[in-house]
Amino acid sequence: GGAWADRFDRRRLLMVAFAAHIALSLVMAALALTGRLAPWHLVGMAAAAGVINSFRMPANQSMLFAVVGVRQLPNAVACNHVLVNVARIAGPAVAVGTLMLGPELPFCVHAVLCSLAVMILAMIRAPTRPSHDGRSVLGGLFVSARYLWSRGDLVVILLLVLISGVLAQPMFSDMLAAFTRDGLKLDKEAFGTLSSSFGVGAMIGALLLARFSGETPAPWRAYPALAAVGAALCALAFVDSLHQAIVVVALGGIAFTAVRASLFTALHGGAPDAIRGRLSSLFSLSIIAGGSMGGLAAGAAAQAIGPVGGIERVYLLFGIVTVMSVSLLLFAARNRGVAYEMPDIEPAKSHGSG
């Protein structure tokens, strides 16, 4: 998907991706309306949506820089995180509410929202076609790999993304259910409360970033923020009530959002436009693959330690490893003199609908 985002007009690629989502949702709505919807249809839809998103996400992320420019990029990323977390909090409630009115309605709502996205994209007039150099997809990947190897700052950014994905992301998502059940000895309602508190914290973190972000990316913020995430994981190992866990998880959500937003802004602000889509794919891959690997590792560790105090020790272990990993990476980066660089480019500022 990233290679396509660096070869074709990103706005049109996004419109095609949303059109595919619309078609997929309408098919699912028709199956639900006629009573033919089966579990394997949902599995197939999830797989197809994953393929579509592999093209949509790099195009969407790499187009953001072209639309807002480098000076507004930190604020734009912060605002994007606010909207993402609002959707994370409100989305399940909307889905349940529409599902109660009919099994086909959630799919219809999704199709309508995707249609609105297509209409908004049609009004964008910023230059969204990348400066393609004419190389093949495979050749472009080799060029991107060589360029990335020459940029120590971008390698450090991607390593920080991977650390957050492996060590922090699963502990605030998949493992949170096990922590609620085995650590706090509470039910699924408490798990829902903790999940919501993380979303609220993430939204607060995004609002703070939008308020205090400067005009240039600041990747250095990711170091203390990721260390704070590790400290929150360690603190969860010692909480003994739901109220304490809510506060710690919310603080972890604030720090986690600061990590992801700072690194996302720095990666796109520091990358040349010709390979921004491929770097976006690496960013997303580090998050998705890192979260999957971290979840498997955390589950295996909890099972190996045993049911008594196992989940608390896993949180403590992952928190300590997070802090140590950040410290070692910071030491290595400073020892090698790695400094953040930004290309001397500025996209066109014609953003009107024309």
Side-chain angles (χ1 to χ4, degrees):
W4 279 49
D6 288 334
R7 292 174 66 89
F8 303 107
D9 187 293
R10 290 158 180 163
R11 181 177 66 93
R12 294 182 179 179
L13 188 59
L14 272 176
M15 294 173 72
V16 171
F18 277 116
H21 273 301
I22 293 171
L24 193 61
S25 295
L26 291 178
V27 169
M28 299 299 291
L31 289 172
L33 189 61
T34 57
R36 298 178 181 177
L37 187 62
W40 71 267
H41 290 129
L42 298 175
V43 174
M45 178 188 179
V51 173
I52 296 169
N53 286 335
S54 70
F55 292 90
R56 181 187 65 82
M57 291 176 64
N60 183 54
Q61 293 171 356
S62 55
M63 196 181 79
L64 184 63
F65 183 89
V67 173
V68 302
V70 65
R71 294 186 180 278
Q72 295 300 323
L73 186 61
N75 282 331
V77 171
C79 291
N80 179 67
H81 276 73
V82 171
L83 295 176
V84 167
N85 285 289
V86 167
R88 179 181 297 170
I89 296 172
V94 173
V96 171
T98 54
L99 187 61
M100 293 176 62
L101 300 176
E104 73 283 353
L105 284 182
F107 301 112
C108 293
V109 170
H110 184 254
V112 170
L113 293 176
C114 289
S115 300
L116 291 175
V118 172
M119 288 188 288
I120 293 172
L121 286 167
M123 294 187 290
I124 294 177
R125 290 295 179 267
T128 57
R129 179 178 291 275
S131 52
H132 178 49
D133 56 9
R135 289 185 174 89
S136 64
V137 172
L138 186 59
L141 291 176
F142 281 118
V143 170
S144 301
R146 287 199 301 267
Y147 179 82
L148 183 61
W149 185 254
S150 69
R151 290 285 304 274
D153 56 333
L154 298 185
V155 173
V156 169
I157 288 171
L158 289 174
L159 285 175
L160 286 170
V161 174
L162 186 61
I163 290 171
S164 70
V166 172
L167 298 175
Q169 181 176 314
M171 309 308 289
F172 286 116
S173 55
D174 301 335
M175 296 301 295
L176 202 58
F179 172 78
T180 306
R181 183 189 65 241
D182 300 333
L184 297 177
K185 310 298 182 185
L186 297 173
D187 55 14
K188 60 183 179 181
E189 293 183 359
F191 166 65
T193 302
L194 285 180
S195 298
S196 298
S197 67
F198 180 81
V200 171
M203 187 167 61
I204 293 173
L207 289 170
L208 291 174
L209 285 173
R211 174 64 180 84
F212 297 106
S213 292
E215 292 187 347
T216 56
W220 58 266
R221 291 176 179 164
Y223 288 108
L226 191 50
V229 170
L233 295 179
C234 292
L236 282 174
F238 299 100
V239 300
D240 55 10
S241 70
L242 178 61
H243 294 92
Q244 293 176 358
I246 289 173
V247 174
V248 175
V249 170
L251 292 175
I254 294 174
F256 190 79
T257 298
V259 172
R260 287 287 169 83
S262 299
L263 295 176
F264 180 91
T265 305
L267 182 69
H268 285 266
D273 184 66
I275 66 169
R276 192 169 284 126
R278 279 160 283 185
L279 291 182
S280 295
S281 291
L282 287 176
F283 186 94
S284 300
L285 181 63
S286 299
I287 293 174
I288 297 171
S292 299
M293 292 187 297
L296 289 173
Q303 187 173 10
I305 294 173
V308 180
I311 191 66
E312 294 92 339
R313 294 178 186 178
V314 171
Y315 270 82
L316 181 60
L317 173 64
F318 272 57
I320 292 174
V321 174
T322 298
V323 175
M324 291 180 61
S325 300
V326 173
S327 301
L328 289 174
L329 188 57
L330 177 60
F331 173 79
R334 288 187 172 180
N335 190 47
R336 291 180 174 271
V338 175
Y340 180 64
E341 304 173 16
M342 290 183 59
D344 188 19
I345 54 175
E346 179 74 20
K349 299 181 179 179
S350 177
H351 301 164
S353 59

